[in-house]
Amino acid sequence: MYNMPAHYKSILTAKETEHAIVLIKNFFQTALSTELNLTRVTAPLFVQSGMGINDDLNGVEKPVAFPVKEMGNMRVEIVQSLAKWKRLKVTELGLKSGFGIYTDMNAIRPDETLDAVHSLYVDQWDWEMAIDEGNRTVFYLHEIVKKIYRCLKRAEFYIYDYYPKIMPQLPEDIAILFADDLQKEYPTLSPYEREKKVAKKYGAVFITGIGGKMSDGAFHDGRAPDYDDWITETGDGHRGLNGDIVVWNDVLKSPFELSSMGIRVSPESLALQLKERKCTERAKLLFHKKLLNNELTQTLGGGIGQSRLCMYLLRKAHIGETQVSIWPEEIIKDCQEAGIVLL
């Protein structure tokens, strides 16, 4: 799916790359926090097992877990993301609508398929903001998407200002599309091929409604049932209050996901999604009980990949050029042959 580019040569040296990574991370988190009214908080690396707090991603991935000797061998799990933990934190802080939190999330995803854009190690800015019930609309979601996209545009210019050889590529505006509309327009293409089609056409797109069944009974992509709301009807013939920001990666000649986000489940949509995914037993877990009892603040949130954003803005061919991880020998060999220097 992600082929090594022919005749690749990094624009920046390894040392310049390390400096540029710092520039991007410092700049972007400030831009994001001021654009969305987010306060930085400290995040956990692991959470207690059996509480329903860890992120199940597509609903099937298993986290890294281990016993804690000093706590009676209580099992804890390394986070896969902080989708549900953030909602607990926003509730605990008592934040008002329009204000939120962001944090540096470091995760391990042992079930990840490793390639040019997927790693065992995941680092992202996880963010979450309180919203009013009246803002549980696809229109509000899209307004937040546009704000995040403005941050991406500013970061791209910021790097160009430091490194003039890295020319800006993002279009002026991000296109807003719906997964089920793409399925109807390109019924013979796979979800990945649809993303490739529209990412290349528009340069940057937000694909709305990911996780629920489309009109053909298939899914555009997987989502766990207990954080994003992918079942609620939007009032315009679509379902789903979530989506992905996808840009065209000209180095890899492929669509490139930078962010996943969405309005979070209400008690009603959580019950429906647990039922549809046949995992109603989760309703007994701490997080789910609090949510179903209407004890959690309504929020909107998501994650923005740090290494991925650096990879895109610095025009890198492999995520291993912007983070340190472990790779199979085959990938290491392919990178060496392609002139890709893994950190």
Side-chain angles (χ1 to χ4, degrees):
M1 188 179 293
Y2 296 98
N3 296 319
M4 298 294 182
H7 313 297
Y8 171 75
K9 190 177 188 311
S10 176
I11 298 173
L12 303 182
T13 66
K15 187 175 181 179
E16 288 173 329
T17 297
E18 295 282 17
H19 289 167
I21 289 170
V22 175
L23 290 174
I24 291 170
K25 291 188 176 184
N26 288 341
F27 178 89
F28 187 80
Q29 66 184 0
T30 300
L32 183 70
S33 64
T34 53
E35 187 73 50
L36 298 184
N37 300 323
L38 306 176
T39 299
R40 191 190 186 283
V41 298
T42 303
L45 178 59
F46 41 80
V47 294
Q48 186 176 344
S49 300
M51 308 292 281
I53 298 174
N54 205 355
D55 185 356
D56 297 296
L57 304 174
N58 295 327
V60 296
E61 290 88 348
K62 294 179 180 179
V64 176
F66 59 93
V68 181
K69 181 179 178 181
E70 287 294 311
M71 301 179 73
N73 286 325
M74 178 186 76
R75 290 190 69 78
V76 298
E77 302 171 353
I78 294 178
V79 297
Q80 299 196 105
S81 91
L82 297 170
K84 290 178 278 187
W85 178 87
K86 291 178 298 180
R87 191 166 182 182
L88 291 170
K89 189 67 175 180
V90 167
T91 301
E92 175 191 322
L93 293 174
L95 299 181
K96 295 181 180 179
S97 177
F99 295 88
I101 60 173
Y102 80 95
T103 190
D104 286 298
M105 190 281 298
N106 295 284
I108 298 175
R109 296 180 180 174
D111 289 344
E112 195 72 87
T113 300
L114 305 182
D115 58 27
V117 301
H118 296 95
S119 170
L120 293 173
Y121 169 63
V122 179
D123 57 339
Q124 65 183 33
W125 290 284
D126 248 321
W127 63 274
E128 200 85 9
M129 62 189 297
I131 63 172
D132 290 328
E133 185 65 27
N135 288 333
R136 295 193 83 254
T137 69
V138 74
F139 308 106
Y140 187 75
L141 171 65
H142 290 165
E143 287 304 310
I144 300 300
V145 169
K146 292 172 186 176
K147 288 186 176 185
I148 293 173
Y149 186 68
R150 287 202 291 268
C151 295
L152 296 174
K153 286 276 293 177
R154 293 205 297 271
E156 186 181 49
F157 172 76
Y158 181 71
I159 288 302
Y160 166 67
D161 207 27
Y162 268 89
Y163 305 102
K165 290 183 179 180
I166 304 178
M167 294 292 294
Q169 294 179 352
L170 289 171
E172 190 62 30
D173 299 304
I174 185 169
I176 305 293
L177 308 173
F178 289 84
D180 49 2
D181 285 345
L182 294 181
Q183 185 275 322
K184 293 171 185 173
E185 186 174 358
Y186 307 109
T188 62
L189 300 183
S190 69
Y192 171 80
E193 290 168 335
R194 291 171 204 151
E195 287 192 5
K196 185 174 184 178
K197 194 92 171 175
V198 296
K200 187 173 184 180
K201 178 180 179 180
Y202 296 103
V205 297
F206 181 74
I207 300 176
T208 313
I210 294 178
K213 289 182 180 179
M214 296 181 291
S215 58
D216 63 349
F219 303 93
H220 183 82
D221 200 357
R223 283 294 188 279
D226 44 16
Y227 55 97
D228 280 353
D229 186 329
W230 42 255
I231 204 167
T232 294
E233 294 186 5
T234 64
D236 53 2
H238 301 104
R239 284 202 316 171
L241 299 174
N242 70 344
D244 292 342
I245 293 177
V246 179
V247 298
W248 177 250
N249 187 314
D250 201 46
V251 176
L252 296 178
K253 306 299 180 187
S254 69
F256 193 70
E257 181 189 322
L258 288 177
S259 176
S260 174
M261 58 183 288
I263 292 173
R264 307 311 195 184
V265 285
S266 64
E268 297 75 20
S269 58
L270 173 62
L272 289 171
Q273 291 182 182
L274 290 178
K275 184 177 180 181
E276 181 161 319
R277 290 292 166 83
K278 296 180 172 55
C279 53
T280 53
E281 71 281 356
R282 292 192 193 182
K284 299 176 182 178
L285 300 174
L286 174 68
F287 174 86
H288 302 71
K289 283 197 291 187
K290 283 181 173 290
L291 207 160
L292 291 169
N293 289 335
N294 210 23
E295 297 174 15
L296 300 183
T297 301
Q298 178 60 62
T299 60
L300 184 163
I304 301 165
Q306 294 186 14
S307 293
R308 279 206 186 181
L309 180 59
C310 292
M311 179 184 170
Y312 175 77
L313 293 180
L314 301 180
R315 312 299 182 231
K316 298 292 189 178
H318 198 284
I319 197 167
E321 295 179 89
T322 56
Q323 62 156 248
V324 177
S325 186
I326 294 176
W327 305 99
E329 285 299 324
E330 182 182 358
I331 287 181
I332 294 173
K333 182 175 180 290
D334 288 345
C335 287
Q336 288 174 339
E337 291 176 353
I340 293 171
V341 179
L342 300 175
L343 298 183

